[in-house]
Amino acid sequence: MRSHLCNRCGSCVGLSNGAIIFQDKTGEYRPVIKGQISDKLAEILWEACPGKSFNFPSYREAFYPDTPGFHDFIGPYRQIGIGFAVNPVIRQQGASGGVISAVLIWLLEKKMIDGAVVLGMSKTEPWLTQAFIATTKEQIMEAAQSKYIISSVNDILPEIEKFEGKLAYVGLPGQIQSIRKLQRMKHPSVRNIEYIFGPFYGNTLHFSSVTSFLRSYKASDYREIEKLYFRHGEWPGNMRIEMKGGRVIELKKFHANYLIPFHILRNSLYCTDLTNEFTDLSGGDAWAPVYEERGKGFSMIISRSAKGDEILRKMISEGALQMNAISTQTAIEMHSHGYDFKKRGSFIRIHFRRMLGKAVPDFGYELKGFGFSRYLMEVVISSLFILMGTKVARWTVEKFPPGLIGGIFERTRKIWKKSTYNIKRKEL
Ligand SMILES: Cc1cc2nc3c(=O)[nH]c(=O)nc-3n(C[C@H](O)[C@H](O)[C@H](O)COP(=O)(O)OP(=O)(O)OC[C@H]3O[C@@H](n4cnc5c(N)ncnc54)[C@H](O)[C@@H]3O)c2cc1C
């Protein structure tokens, strides 16, 4: 809980009958023990925690025994493609191609589920996220789009347990790893979960990203936020804040990415799952100039389990989804930057942590054998994360217009990507 291994999935909070709470959601957002925990409950919480360990090979065998495709970077897969929701409203409101929302709506309309666990924005504190069970198309649409601040979907496990009917569940890799652990334990809290979907996951940010963003625009009180969007408008969208009194603050998503090194949740640096490998079906952005130029919204879709694949096939044949298959090599090239960050960088960072005598996660597998230049590159990247995460750096960046910093960030990132192209492509 107190180390950087906690990904804030929320399972310990949800399962603890109020003994553990998230105390400071606009601050460190850490689970804190407030009441008595029996030995039996402690054992369950320890087992359900994905931060310290999650054995990828073992869970793959347990949940995807018949899945024919596997790649170290992508996980188990059946089909990989680029696609989008054919319904233009769903596509437009989704983070990328609206695929996850379209799948949930399709399942609901076919009565294959009675509800979907999704992440919306809080009604009472609209600057924070709130997981809930959506039982209508409108509620699923309301929860569409990516939220880039720390969110703990699994703190609603008691509601999930009480729900009468079948559920689909949407979460980030860490949250899903905990759900898979609970499913394997046959824990009652997850008995209703029939399908698991999720977005790709590069990183998530502390709430300080929002307050810092506001301060850059000379707006100091986050409680004045009426609506907060991370991907508003046409793909790839804008970070947009609507304040009480009518003020609107908006910045291109690619420019708002400048917040990442200043506010990244450290656990994101030790997560080795980019494509949400333990879902039935997962989706990410189709990052390639050919799609980005067209706007509108394109997703990369990966089906993994037999039931996830069947949903994909049926939705395509019924005209609810459009998808063109791509090879694993094309898929890897499209996210080579992300794979380098997660499947090389994370393992090197874990190695550094181990050398410093700190606790490290055990994923049951390790990728290694990277060249000296990649280690050197990681020293630079990790040093930058440490430097830029300091109060002084955060304070300094707030003195400049975000449009300017965002533009510089986008250009620097392009140059950096280009100059490290060979290091990163090696053995991809
Ligand atoms: C924190 C985060 C980091 C990401 N990093 C990358 C990346 O590096 N590369 C990449 O290609 N794609 C990344 N994505 C995925 C991408 O932003 C889109 O979510 C994905 O392409 C699916 O788009 P969609 O239009 O199909 O989803 P939508 O139809 O918009 O549905 C998204 C679903 O995800 C749920 N959701 C949104 N945010 C969260 C959250 N924080 N926790 C749990 N559930 C959530 C929503 O409730 C909704 O049901 C990230 C997403 C998130 C949330």
Side-chain angles (χ1 to χ4, degrees):
M1 286 173 165
R2 284 181 291 271
S3 79
H4 289 303
L5 303 193
C6 175
N7 62 36
R8 319 311 199 257
C9 72
S11 289
C12 58
V13 172
L15 296 172
S16 71
N17 304 316
I20 305 179
I21 59 164
F22 282 118
Q23 200 165 35
D24 185 13
K25 289 194 170 184
T26 55
E28 275 296 300
Y29 205 125
R30 279 194 191 280
V32 179
I33 300 172
K34 286 286 182 187
Q36 285 295 318
I37 300 169
S38 67
D39 286 352
K40 190 167 171 239
L41 177 61
E43 229 171 84
I44 294 170
L45 301 186
W46 184 245
E47 190 47 44
C49 174
K52 63 177 194 339
S53 67
F54 181 81
N55 192 305
F56 277 59
S58 161
Y59 279 88
R60 201 159 54 236
E61 259 171 48
F63 287 95
Y64 307 89
D66 307 319
T67 297
F70 172 72
H71 190 287
D72 274 337
F73 289 179
I74 297 171
Y77 68 90
R78 284 173 189 262
Q79 291 188 72
I80 309 179
I82 303 300
F84 53 85
V86 172
N87 180 322
V89 180
I90 303 178
R91 185 178 184 187
Q92 205 273 330
Q93 284 198 27
S96 48
V99 171
I100 295 180
S101 299
V103 168
L104 299 177
I105 291 167
W106 187 84
L107 286 171
L108 199 64
E109 287 177 347
K110 296 277 172 198
K111 302 202 184 327
M112 290 163 75
I113 55 168
D114 303 288
V117 179
V118 290
L119 186 77
M121 299 306 291
S122 161
K123 297 261 186 273
T124 50
E125 297 171 304
W127 49 89
L128 290 178
T129 56
Q130 176 65 55
F132 68 101
I133 299 176
T135 53
T136 63
K137 177 180 173 178
E138 290 69 31
Q139 287 176 331
I140 290 171
M141 294 297 287
E142 196 185 301
Q145 295 207 354
S146 302
K147 284 88 185 173
Y148 293 124
I149 46 172
I150 305 175
S151 309
S152 47
V153 176
N154 295 357
D155 55 12
I156 66 155
L157 278 171
E159 271 177 62
I160 297 176
E161 181 170 352
K162 273 192 233 127
F163 187 80
E164 308 239 337
K166 289 184 183 170
L167 287 171
Y169 171 99
V170 183
L172 298 179
Q175 295 155 358
I176 287 173
Q177 287 166 13
S178 183
I179 297 293
R180 289 301 191 196
K181 284 184 143 197
L182 290 162
Q183 284 182 329
R184 209 171 183 186
M185 289 155 67
K186 303 213 180 312
H187 195 273
S189 62
V190 293
R191 71 189 151 88
N192 293 324
I193 297 178
E194 200 69 30
Y195 303 98
I196 297 188
F197 309 111
F200 289 12
Y201 173 61
N203 55 67
T204 195
L205 304 184
H206 282 278
F207 187 75
S208 56
S209 55
V210 175
T211 45
S212 172
F213 181 73
L214 282 179
R215 274 197 297 272
S216 301
Y217 285 95
K218 311 276 180 274
S220 54
D221 190 358
Y222 65 80
R223 283 167 295 234
E224 293 289 309
I225 294 176
E226 232 169 32
K227 289 226 179 268
L228 169 58
Y229 304 90
F230 297 89
R231 300 283 294 261
H232 188 268
E234 188 171 10
W235 186 67
N238 300 327
M239 182 165 175
R240 176 183 165 102
I241 300 183
E242 296 172 11
M243 307 289 280
K244 284 177 193 160
R247 184 174 177 200
V248 175
I249 301 171
E250 201 159 2
L251 187 67
K252 273 165 63 177
K253 184 221 169 336
F254 282 144
H255 286 188
N257 279 347
Y258 85 87
L259 293 163
I260 295 173
F262 294 96
H263 303 278
I264 191 168
L265 172 70
R266 287 281 281 279
N267 180 265
S268 309
L269 301 173
Y270 308 117
C271 163
T272 66
D273 185 346
L274 174 72
T275 60
N276 224 330
E277 297 176 31
F278 292 88
T279 48
D280 289 304
L281 197 147
S282 67
D285 288 283
W287 293 142
V290 56
Y291 299 112
E292 286 166 38
E293 277 158 17
R294 284 193 250 172
K296 287 188 178 165
F298 290 88
S299 289
M300 181 178 293
I301 311 166
I302 304 179
S303 68
R304 303 179 186 278
S305 64
K307 56 185 179 184
D309 199 51
E310 200 185 327
I311 293 169
L312 188 58
R313 280 177 202 284
K314 284 192 175 157
M315 285 185 72
I316 293 169
S317 74
E318 288 178 18
L321 279 186
Q322 200 164 308
M323 186 180 95
N324 289 325
I326 55 167
S327 67
T328 51
Q329 193 52 35
T330 308
I332 287 168
E333 277 171 16
M334 206 173 261
H335 285 98
S336 66
H337 189 63
Y339 288 117
D340 178 70
F341 186 70
K342 293 267 165 179
K343 295 289 186 183
R344 287 180 179 164
S346 288
F347 283 110
I348 297 175
R349 290 185 287 270
I350 289 171
H351 185 65
F352 288 167
R353 253 184 96 81
R354 194 181 290 120
M355 279 174 17
L356 292 171
K358 296 190 173 180
V360 293
D362 177 6
F363 294 129
Y365 79 116
E366 204 178 333
L367 301 182
K368 45 187 173 185
F370 319 123
F372 177 71
S373 53
R374 185 59 187 82
Y375 277 87
L376 208 60
M377 181 177 143
E378 195 50 52
V379 171
V380 175
I381 295 172
S382 292
S383 308
L384 281 175
F385 276 125
I386 292 170
L387 262 174
M388 293 166 106
T390 58
K391 279 187 183 159
V392 181
R394 288 176 179 183
W395 179 85
T396 309
V397 78
E398 285 166 17
K399 306 292 162 250
F400 296 91
L404 174 74
I405 297 289
I408 295 171
F409 185 80
E410 195 184 2
R411 273 194 298 279
T412 314
R413 202 157 166 264
K414 272 186 190 155
I415 296 166
W416 175 62
K417 274 172 94 169
K418 221 173 165 182
S419 67
T420 55
Y421 190 83
N422 289 331
I423 303 172
K424 290 190 288 160
R425 292 283 165 131
K426 246 187 243 171
E427 299 136 30
L428 268 182

